[in-house]
Amino acid sequence: MADAAIDRTPVIIAVGEFVDRPADPALAQEPVALMAEALHAAEADAGVPLLAAIDSLDLVGQVSWRYRDPVGLLCERLGIRPARAANASMGGETPVRLLHQAALRISNGESQVAAVVGGEALNAVSKARKAKVKLAWTDLAPRDETVKLDFETLPMSRSAKKAGATDPVHIYPLYENALQAAKGLSPAQGTRESAALWARYAAVAADNPCAWIRTAPSAEEIGTPSETNRMVSLPYPKLMVANPNVNQAATVIVASLAWARAAGIAEDRLVYIHGGAAASEPGDYLMRDRYDHSTAQQAVLERAVELAGGDAEAFDLAELYSCFPVVPKMAMDTLGLRNGVEPTVAGGLTFFGGPLNNYMTHGMCAMVRKLRSGQGRLGLVYGQGGVVSKHHALVLSAAPASQPLGTDYSVQDRADALRGPVPELLEEYSGPAEIETFTVLYGPRGHVRHGIVIARNPQGARLIARVRSDDAESIALLCDCDRSPIGARGHVRVDAFGDIVWESGALRDRTSLPRKFCTVEREGNVTIVTINRPESMNSLHPFANEELSEVFDEFQADPDQWVAILTGAGDRAFSSGNDLKFTAAAMARGEQSPMPKKGFAGLTARWDLSKPVIAAVNGVAMGGGFEIALACDLIIASRNAVFALPEPKVGLAALAGGLLRLPRQIGLKQAMGMILTGRHVSADEGQSLGFVNEVVEQSELLAAARRWADAICACSPMSVRASKEAVLLGLEEDLQAASRSQTRYPAMGALFRSDDIREGPLAFAQKRAPQWKGR
């Protein structure tokens, strides 16, 4: 190489790390302070005045504290003014990429001394929040003023969000399970393989003074779920998951060889950058070709091997990104490192610590120290960002490279050429589907939240679906330790909550399943539905709401059922509304209580039901229970019935239609009197207000409801449906518009096309009772 090119050779001249473990969280240092400490440590490592010479400073995307301009604040704290200071993007490969780019700027003569730095203090933030301690840090920036960075959010399809598979801890297991199946391993064998690999990482962390966890748990401890090693996402327990709950910072400083020599830095302190490579997968993980391999990772690592002379056995040292075991497992399968070469020099994101986007800066610090000490001549650092999304590798050495640093490090064309066809993604689907890959998500107390299945339909199109926690058969299939469920056939349906759900085996007949939360009787053309949770005042949780929603789906679809009666079991309550105990327990587990698309009891948001429903209110109808009754067409109440919308008394609001239906049914002032006070209204007052049709003794309630139903059934069901639809849709328009529209309503059109419209006049003319067909 020419002398000028040699002078511009980029060399790593200093590294620095800092770990903060205060006993009192109030004494913890904020991220910018940690980064400043790391840079001071690097200056001490170099042994020469260094910070003032930095002309380029890249700060790795920072998460644990909101700053307007973290790199500007850091420069101010250090008293330096580099010509280039940048807040860099998110992603675990970012430190590797930033160092590579800094080296290229030095090689091009655009810079002399450049630093890459990052730091996080999530442990301090978490402990302070728990202890209710106010941290004396830089004021949190408002969210809209926080520095904006690339890749702050993962590209995600609507169906992935709907399935609840949006976090890395949900997505990497999809790759892990696919890889295990592709290698012919049972889940138990795959777990043992991962645990053995992670034990190697843990042993390295135990010898690293900058590591967060230095206890070196065994493979058995790592792979066995326990109270302290709970399952997170199948097949990963906590000790196989990146640990971001740390306070760590690190920096790597690179300079031109000429500057390093002029500054008096000894030759044996220099580490050379031989080159690297980068490539990416499609951002949305559902748009990938497969889940047992990454072509971008393969292309990047193969290029790194080429830079090492074409044989991976040339690498003495390696730092393979390790947020979850599947990433280094895939990398090791591609590389074929020689025996005895550990996959990490720092200890990995579980045991060393995973300071979000900055782990690889620590990894490079450890690599530099190893190379300087003569523990190896050639090292590979490989970082990965997103969710198997972005890949970047560098080859580092204690010896100079034989060629100048290459300017074009992208191997995207190679990765794209290796990639197979990407299947069509179905956002909506019902029908048979075979598992492509899967995981199961667990709550903090070890309970199953739900499963996730990526599946293919018979035509090869891809979809993502939930596996519900109450589907014991399908969950058991996913959790089988002896046999992978990949390739298992099942069916997909859309459940009452609007979720795409995968179920094992043949399509299940939902109508034949035993009812757990209600009973259903059919008496001629009348369906009688009884909410059957008397022990909880017939309150409703999501599963009860779903069951009722399915019951009313059946009622709505059955042409032989013309009228429904809804009541509650026992004599204390029609329904006390939402099951608050269930909701509180779900919230304590970090879960939501979803509402079916058709609302409380499958009725409050069932806007297209033209068949009449009668509420037979026995006892309490509170909150959601009253809203269910208001959604019915008639209310027959026992004398002991009590109605209220008490939500304001517990800081809630009656958002299942109560605030909208009650004023329409009894007028604004009377409705506001009930809504704003949450007061209880008796059956007799309800009748005087106008929302109750009849009040009877408790013993006569169902007989009275049947009497009303029989009177309705004596009429043409087609006329009844058309009349109900015209009334309800007409309320949405002014009188003149509704008058013009009513003949165009669907049920009215069905009436005019029906046999009933001819049967009525004919029966009248023949002086006989009509024989209604309802169609």
Side-chain angles (χ1 to χ4, degrees):
M1 290 187 286
D3 290 345
I6 293 173
D7 287 346
R8 293 197 301 270
T9 298
V11 289
I12 297 172
I13 60 171
V15 294
E17 294 178 87
F18 185 75
V19 183
D20 188 30
R21 291 179 175 273
D24 182 353
L27 301 178
Q29 297 191 56
E30 65 180 290
V32 161
L34 299 180
M35 289 183 253
E37 293 281 5
L39 282 158
H40 284 301
E43 187 170 58
D45 177 66
V48 299
L50 185 64
L51 300 185
I54 293 173
D55 57 32
S56 174
L57 178 61
D58 284 291
L59 191 149
V60 176
Q62 198 275 329
V63 176
S64 55
W65 198 250
R66 293 201 309 269
Y67 293 108
R68 287 180 174 83
D69 177 20
V71 75
L73 190 61
L74 178 60
C75 290
E76 182 181 337
R77 183 179 285 261
L78 293 170
I80 63 175
R81 299 183 66 182
R84 181 182 182 279
N87 294 301
S89 72
M90 303 289 190
E93 93 301 341
T94 301
V96 182
R97 173 175 58 82
L98 295 178
L99 183 65
H100 197 169
Q101 292 173 344
L104 286 172
R105 288 194 296 274
I106 288 169
S107 181
N108 294 334
E110 301 168 20
S111 174
Q112 286 290 316
V113 181
V116 174
V117 66
E120 300 286 358
L122 193 58
N123 179 270
V125 172
S126 300
K127 286 184 175 178
R129 185 180 295 118
K130 187 175 181 179
K132 298 182 179 179
V133 169
K134 181 175 175 56
L135 294 167
W137 293 2
T138 302
D139 289 342
L140 276 172
R143 292 189 184 278
D144 60 347
E145 297 180 22
T146 305
V147 60
K148 298 295 185 290
L149 302 172
D150 291 339
F151 229 75
E152 285 185 337
T153 58
L154 296 173
M156 202 72 62
S157 69
R158 182 174 64 88
S159 56
K161 295 176 183 176
K162 195 172 181 61
T166 56
D167 292 336
V169 74
H170 307 154
I171 302 167
Y172 283 96
L174 300 172
Y175 273 85
E176 176 70 53
N177 288 318
L179 179 64
Q180 290 179 11
K183 293 168 74 172
L185 300 176
S186 70
Q189 292 169 327
T191 293
R192 287 194 291 271
E193 181 185 69
S194 295
L197 175 62
W198 242 227
R200 294 166 65 183
Y201 275 85
V204 172
D207 287 334
N208 187 336
C210 294
W212 196 258
I213 298 174
R214 302 187 64 193
T215 55
S218 67
E220 184 177 2
E221 291 174 282
I222 293 167
T224 304
S226 65
E227 287 188 10
T228 57
N229 188 32
R230 65 178 178 85
M231 287 300 299
V232 179
S233 295
L234 197 72
Y236 293 144
K238 184 178 179 181
L239 287 178
M240 290 187 192
V241 173
N243 173 24
N245 197 30
V246 298
N247 307 321
Q248 294 173 315
T251 186
V252 177
I253 300 179
V254 61
S256 68
L257 182 60
W259 190 95
R261 286 172 172 169
I265 297 175
E267 294 286 336
D268 63 1
R269 305 289 292 171
L270 305 181
V271 170
Y272 293 82
I273 301 167
H274 285 204
S280 298
E281 295 286 347
D284 182 351
Y285 71 92
L286 289 178
M287 301 307 296
R288 313 267 173 89
D289 62 333
R290 53 196 284 198
Y291 296 103
D292 61 345
H293 184 72
S294 163
T295 59
Q297 183 194 64
Q298 177 186 346
V300 164
L301 294 176
E302 286 179 347
R303 176 57 184 152
V305 170
E306 291 168 7
L307 290 168
D311 188 349
E313 293 201 358
F315 290 119
D316 306 303
L317 303 164
E319 182 61 62
L320 304 180
Y321 197 77
S322 52
C323 52
F324 298 87
V326 69
V327 178
K329 284 165 77 171
M330 291 194 301
M332 293 167 75
D333 287 347
T334 296
L335 285 167
L337 297 172
R338 72 172 186 270
N339 290 335
V341 176
E342 292 296 344
T344 181
V345 289
L349 280 86
T350 298
F351 306 104
F352 174 87
L356 300 165
N357 300 299
N358 197 50
Y359 170 78
M360 286 305 295
T361 310
H362 293 275
M364 291 188 289
C365 288
M367 179 65 74
V368 167
R369 288 193 293 267
K370 294 278 188 181
L371 290 169
R372 283 175 176 173
S373 67
Q375 295 181 55
R377 294 285 292 172
L378 197 66
L380 168 67
V381 290
Y382 158 68
Q384 181 243 250
V387 281
V388 197
S389 307
K390 304 183 292 177
H391 306 262
H392 206 122
L394 280 178
V395 177
L396 305 180
S397 178
S402 59
Q403 299 293 328
L405 187 63
T407 57
D408 183 8
Y409 57 80
S410 173
V411 290
Q412 191 63 51
D413 288 348
R414 186 188 299 192
D416 293 342
L418 290 168
R419 188 172 295 115
V422 176
E424 175 192 2
L425 178 63
L426 303 177
E427 296 280 3
E428 305 290 342
Y429 178 71
S430 294
E434 182 177 298
I435 296 178
E436 181 178 5
T437 188
F438 72 100
T439 185
V440 175
L441 312 187
Y442 293 82
R445 298 179 183 175
H447 63 283
V448 171
R449 283 185 166 169
H450 63 273
I452 298 291
V453 159
I454 294 179
R456 299 288 191 95
N457 76 352
Q459 291 72 45
R462 176 181 286 159
L463 60 104
I464 186 168
R466 287 177 181 249
V467 178
R468 290 175 39 149
S469 61
D470 61 340
D471 181 0
E473 180 182 331
S474 298
I475 291 293
L477 175 71
L478 299 187
C479 294
D480 190 336
C481 293
D482 298 320
R483 183 177 179 181
S484 172
I486 289 176
R489 294 178 180 178
H491 276 75
V492 168
R493 67 180 177 90
V494 179
D495 69 9
F497 304 104
D499 294 327
I500 296 178
V501 173
W502 186 90
E503 295 173 336
S504 61
L507 181 64
R508 302 173 189 178
D509 180 6
R510 301 287 300 175
T511 64
S512 66
L513 297 177
R515 302 297 179 188
K516 299 178 182 178
F517 310 112
C518 71
T519 63
V520 181
E521 303 169 75
R522 291 179 176 84
E523 298 178 357
N525 301 120
V526 178
T527 296
I528 301 173
V529 182
T530 304
I531 303 170
N532 193 24
R533 301 190 75 223
E535 74 286 350
S536 64
M537 301 286 284
N538 294 320
S539 62
L540 299 176
H541 54 36
F543 300 119
N545 277 315
E546 177 185 39
E547 190 171 282
L548 287 161
S549 184
E550 291 179 342
V551 165
F552 281 105
D553 283 345
E554 293 172 35
F555 166 71
Q556 186 170 358
D558 189 341
D560 295 324
Q561 293 301 296
W562 299 351
V563 181
I565 297 172
L566 177 63
T567 191
D571 57 7
R572 297 173 59 211
F574 171 73
S575 173
S576 58
N578 188 27
D579 187 337
L580 295 178
K581 289 183 179 179
F582 180 94
T583 301
M587 291 175 65
R589 297 192 300 266
E591 299 174 0
Q592 296 180 335
S593 290
M595 181 63 66
K597 293 295 185 180
K598 300 297 176 65
F600 269 125
L603 283 175
T604 58
R606 189 177 291 269
W607 308 110
D608 60 346
L609 179 60
S610 58
K611 297 180 181 181
V613 180
I614 300 169
V617 178
N618 51 315
V620 167
M622 296 287 186
F626 187 22
E627 291 179 290
I628 295 167
L630 290 171
C632 295
D633 301 289
L634 304 174
I635 297 177
I636 314 304
S638 64
R639 203 161 299 282
N640 68 331
V642 179
F643 303 88
L645 294 175
E647 283 85 353
K649 292 185 176 182
V650 291
L652 301 173
L655 298 177
L659 301 180
L660 306 176
R661 286 190 170 100
L662 190 60
R664 285 169 167 80
Q665 295 182 22
I666 67 173
L668 179 62
K669 297 301 183 186
Q670 295 295 342
M672 293 298 273
M674 290 184 64
I675 290 167
L676 300 182
T677 64
R679 73 182 184 88
H680 292 189
V681 170
S682 69
D684 288 330
E685 185 180 359
Q687 188 172 26
S688 67
L689 287 171
F691 65 78
V692 172
N693 295 85
E694 184 179 358
V695 179
V696 298
E697 296 302 324
Q698 174 79 16
S699 60
E700 300 173 11
L701 180 63
L702 275 181
R706 285 187 178 95
R707 173 167 37 83
W708 281 87
D710 290 343
I712 294 171
C713 287
C715 301
S716 161
M718 303 300 291
S719 297
V720 167
R721 293 167 201 168
S723 299
K724 173 181 173 178
E725 186 177 69
V727 169
L728 295 181
L729 292 180
L731 288 173
E732 299 175 7
E733 301 181 275
D734 63 55
L735 184 60
Q736 185 177 6
S739 178
R740 290 194 299 266
S741 299
Q742 61 185 349
T743 57
R744 297 193 294 270
Y745 296 150
M748 196 68 73
L751 168 64
F752 292 143
R753 294 189 301 271
S754 71
D755 292 336
D756 284 4
I757 201 167
R758 291 180 291 275
E759 170 64 9
L762 182 61
F764 180 82
Q766 296 175 351
K767 297 182 180 182
R768 61 174 173 81
Q771 300 297 311
W772 306 121
K773 295 183 179 179
R775 45 174 70 85

